[in-house]
């Protein structure tokens, strides 16, 4: 079996354009809104004296201050955009769906933590 070139156009080139399907548009909407709510709920939590639970996010905040959470989220979104652009439709959908679900879970946990504070 030969190498897997599913992220190329069949002759070894990375596709230059990706069409935004309806499914991807919905997933991108969820990803962007959940990311925004993640940053907002994190900032509110930090503002009321709660500690960041994620070690990576905590390191960004310790290093860059409050803007660190935005920098971390922006970095994650750049990675998602890059993978979405490079992968075939199926894998791109998986990347978006996983990031959307993880982001929604984080927002829910943040909201629960804020509600119990």
């Amino acid at each position: 079996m030969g190498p897997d070139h599913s992220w190329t156009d069949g002759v070894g080139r990375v596709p230059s354009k990706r069409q935004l399907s309806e499914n991807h548009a919905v997933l991108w909407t969820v990803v962007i809104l959940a990311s925004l709510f993640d940053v907002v709920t994190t900032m509110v939590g930090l503002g009321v004296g709660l500690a960041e639970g994620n070690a990576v996010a905590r390191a960004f905040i310790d290093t860059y201050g409050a803007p660190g959470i935005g920098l971390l989220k922006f970095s994650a979104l750049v990675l998602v955009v890059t993978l979405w652009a490079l992968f075939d439709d199926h894998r791109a959908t998986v990347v978006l769906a996983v990031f959307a679900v993880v982001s929604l879970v984080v927002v829910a946990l943040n909201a629960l933590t804020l509600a119990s504070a």
Side-chain angles (χ1 to χ4, degrees), residues 7 10 15 18 24 26-28 43 49 56 61 76 81-82 86-87 90 104 109 117:
W7 56 273
R18 167 173 292 288
H24 286 187
V26 169
L27 286 169
W28 271 118
M43 295 304 295
V56 174
I61 293 166
V81 167
T82 302
L86 291 176
F87 286 172
H90 174 72
L104 288 171
L109 291 172

Side-chain angles (χ1 to χ4, degrees), residues 7-15:
W7 56 273
T8 65
D9 65 359
V11 291
R13 297 180 307 224
V14 174

Side-chain angles (χ1 to χ4, degrees), residues 61-117:
I61 293 166
D62 290 347
T63 303
Y64 303 107
I69 193 67
L71 178 61
L72 175 62
K73 188 55 69 172
F74 178 76
S75 300
L77 287 172
V78 167
L79 176 63
V80 172
V81 167
T82 302
L83 293 175
W84 175 79
L86 291 176
F87 286 172
D88 61 71
D89 280 342
H90 174 72
R91 289 180 179 155
T93 302
V94 170
V95 166
L96 288 174
V98 167
F99 195 82
V101 168
V102 168
S103 295
L104 288 171
V105 168
V106 168
V107 169
L109 291 172
N110 285 355
L112 287 172
T113 302
L114 287 170
S116 66

